DNA sequence: ACAATAGTGTCTGTTAGACATTATCCC
DNA sequence: GGGATAATGTCTAACAGACACTATTGT
């Protein structure tokens, strides 16, 4: 959840005589909107761009950073893969539209969702003018596995490091997102959103290694993470294979501590 | 300039038989748009939000961080101050719309401009659904002074630290922008956009102090800045008042060096 | 010489990165 | 005891922050 959305209220407390009905107000509003912005242009006289929300869903699968793409079935970019998205409905927030998209494609709820950037160059979609607000979501690998089987054949997970040719400006969007993710990894606790509730330090280190795309020193990594107190020892251990079991930790959100 | 815009192409190279005229293609596009997105909803059947671009223009004036606001003349929020903005035209990019806004309000060009965030809660504007892409601009104080006199009476510069009651969710937008600006100050060379070409180290320090809203140690500040090699000594000196003159520096963009 | 701001260096505590060995489990 | 991964500490170089005095100008 973008920290921002709490501080920005919806500003719905309009100033005006309280006796007015909603209808009268609405009608007058349109007239005044046109008037107030007259030095720009008449709002009703011009076409409006379409507004869509695209959601880049990212998860760790097969020791890799993967994203969900859908295959296009018609012009333009027919047969190419694209980031899922859809139109914003008149009375849902941008974030609500993103959550709806997320729900439709993966069935998951309550995941980390952050607004990335808004792309609106004329010509980025040859059909019509489309302004798209892009969000990215981080899905915890464990909950996701359950639904992996339900994927249709024109929906697929791809490694961000080996992507097919993408439709529109979507490759650029992914580059941008990866950049943002890498940066935030260093100074926020964003990484925990890609792990299940309980995890080992090795698993956490793997998250960093996969996203930063480089090896990290085990001792320095553990030292740094543990010194921030964002981890809580659950007391449990995770045994797999024939070797010493690893402690299981849990993210401590009390310590809203930045790394 | 947002570094992003270079990497994201406009994706204008549509795939389709080259013999098609633009008109045929456009007509088919609309049909296919509706079909392709059918599981969302029919694009032509629903209203579209308005898309606006708001531009938060910031500058250092009177040893203070100030922003440009305009006074609203009609409902809603009549008489309150607001961030200037306007509708996006069908064939201009979001950034172009922001530049147009900037030009209209201040007459300046070639300033630092960065997309901040997109606000689109239903109800944030009681007239109609408005999705607004907010940019912020940093204006160098010197060039701005020239045009300061041309301001109309319902346009004004305000200290970000003493703002009047603002229309819509604009106070929240400003909080968000100030946050972003403060963060970027620490790890980018964004501050130089608020100064004229030549400036003294003391002036640069003032930029940081005003924006971060706290005093900095002179010696540590100079040590840190000079160690990054982003400054070039012009050889000139700036004399004002009855004391030792200060060296004038120039920003060295070669050293795209992060702080 | 005085008023006013420019300009400079040292010390200290913290952090980031390089690096190798011991511990615990299953078989 | 062998195979496999978990867990741990030290040293060093770089950086951040506290702190006070000298330099240069105009009057």
């Amino acid at each position: 959840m973008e920290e921002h959305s709490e501080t920005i209220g919806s500003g719905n407390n309009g100033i005006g005589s309280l006796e007015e009905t909603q209808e009268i107000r609405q009608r007058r509003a349109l007239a005044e909107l046109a008037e107030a912005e007259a030095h720009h242009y008449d709002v009703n006289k011009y076409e409006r761009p379409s507004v869509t929300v695209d959601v880049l869903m990212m998860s760790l699968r097969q020791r890799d950073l993967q994203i969900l793409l859908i295959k296009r079935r018609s012009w333009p970019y027919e047969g190419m893969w694209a980031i899922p998205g859809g139109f914003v409905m008149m009375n849902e927030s941008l974030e609500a539209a993103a959550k709806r998209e997320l729900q439709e494609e993966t069935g998951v709820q309550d995941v980390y969702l952050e607004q990335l950037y808004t792309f609106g160059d004329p010509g980025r979609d040859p059909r019509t003018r489309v302004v798209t607000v892009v969000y990215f979501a981080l899905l915890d690998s464990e909950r996701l596995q359950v639904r992996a089987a339900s994927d249709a054949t024109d929906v697929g997970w791809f490694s961000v490091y080996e992507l097919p040719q993408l439709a529109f400006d979507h490759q650029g969007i992914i580059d941008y997102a990866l950049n943002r993710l890498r940066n935030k990894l260093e100074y926020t606790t964003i990484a925990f959103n890609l792990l299940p509730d309980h995890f080992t330090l090795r698993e956490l280190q793997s998250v960093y290694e996969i996203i930063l795309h480089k090896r990290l020193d085990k001792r320095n990594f553990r030292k740094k993470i543990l010194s921030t107190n964002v981890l809580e020892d659950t007391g449990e251990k995770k045994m797999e294979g024939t070797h010493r079991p690893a402690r299981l930790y849990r993210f401590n959100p009390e310590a809203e501590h930045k790394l």
Side-chain angles (χ1 to χ4, degrees), chain A:
Chain A
M1 191 73 42
E2 178 67 8
E3 70 264 28
H4 176 71
S5 48
E6 288 118 37
T7 59
I8 307 287
S10 67
N12 213 346
N13 41 350
I15 293 172
S17 10
L18 292 169
E19 302 83 7
E20 294 183 300
T21 66
Q22 190 64 21
E23 286 79 6
I24 292 175
R25 188 177 286 178
Q26 284 284 352
R27 206 164 318 148
R28 194 179 67 167
L30 284 175
E32 286 186 295
L33 181 61
E35 182 225 3
E37 309 287 353
H39 58 291
H40 300 302
Y41 61 86
D42 181 340
V43 60
N44 295 311
K45 202 170 140 195
Y46 288 80
E47 275 184 291
R48 298 179 183 188
S50 293
V51 179
T52 63
V53 162
D54 286 355
V55 183
L56 185 53
M57 302 167 203
M58 307 176 114
S59 188
L60 293 168
R61 298 162 48 94
Q62 302 150 207
R63 304 192 147 264
D64 193 13
L65 180 60
Q66 304 200 337
I67 62 176
L68 190 84
L69 297 175
I70 58 173
K71 194 173 202 166
R72 292 191 52 79
R73 279 179 300 185
S74 51
W75 184 83
Y77 303 104
E78 180 172 344
M80 293 175 81
W81 295 85
I83 300 167
F87 293 94
V88 176
M89 304 213 280
M90 281 304 270
N91 42 25
E92 76 183 342
S93 69
L94 299 172
E95 191 171 303
K99 282 182 178 157
R100 183 167 51 76
E101 200 60 38
L102 204 43
Q103 171 75 251
E104 285 172 11
E105 298 297 343
T106 65
V108 298
Q109 280 173 318
D110 299 322
V111 301
Y112 180 86
L113 189 64
E114 171 176 333
Q115 188 183 302
L116 180 66
Y117 198 80
T118 298
F119 299 84
D121 276 2
R124 61 178 291 280
D125 188 323
R127 292 168 297 186
T128 182
R129 177 72 188 277
V130 178
V131 170
T132 188
V133 184
V134 181
Y135 282 77
F136 73 96
L138 300 182
L139 310 180
D140 119 56
S141 48
E142 199 153 89
R143 275 192 295 166
L144 202 60
Q145 306 297 2
V146 188
R147 289 198 124 254
S150 75
D151 285 345
T153 71
D154 53 358
V155 177
W157 288 92
F158 292 82
S159 165
V160 293
Y161 302 113
E162 282 178 54
L163 290 173
Q165 269 240 316
L166 297 180
F168 307 107
D169 49 7
H170 288 185
Q171 178 64 58
I173 292 177
I174 291 164
D175 295 344
Y176 192 79
L178 190 52
N179 229 339
R180 172 97 129 240
L181 180 60
R182 283 179 177 157
N183 287 330
K184 283 210 152 179
L185 215 55
E186 316 257 19
Y187 65 95
T188 71
T189 56
I190 199 175
F192 296 105
N193 296 290
L194 289 161
L195 288 172
D197 286 356
H198 292 182
F199 51 86
T200 68
L201 269 174
R202 190 63 188 82
E203 289 166 342
L204 182 60
Q205 186 179 337
S206 290
V207 174
Y208 278 78
E209 289 182 335
I210 291 168
I211 296 174
L212 298 177
H213 215 221
K214 67 178 183 196
R215 305 224 125 223
L216 299 176
D217 180 85
K218 193 208 272 199
R219 285 162 295 185
N220 292 337
F221 180 80
R222 298 163 89 94
K223 211 191 326 168
K224 185 171 170 179
I225 296 288
L226 291 173
S227 75
T228 62
N229 286 331
V230 289
L231 292 191
E232 207 181 334
D233 192 338
T234 63
E236 299 167 63
K237 306 214 162 179
K238 176 169 189 172
M239 185 67 246
E240 52 178 4
T242 165
H243 53 81
R244 178 170 178 177
R247 290 169 124 89
L248 279 166
Y249 291 89
R250 161 197 313 134
F251 172 52
N252 175 13
E254 302 301 313
E256 190 57 66
H257 196 58
K258 306 291 180 193
L259 307 181

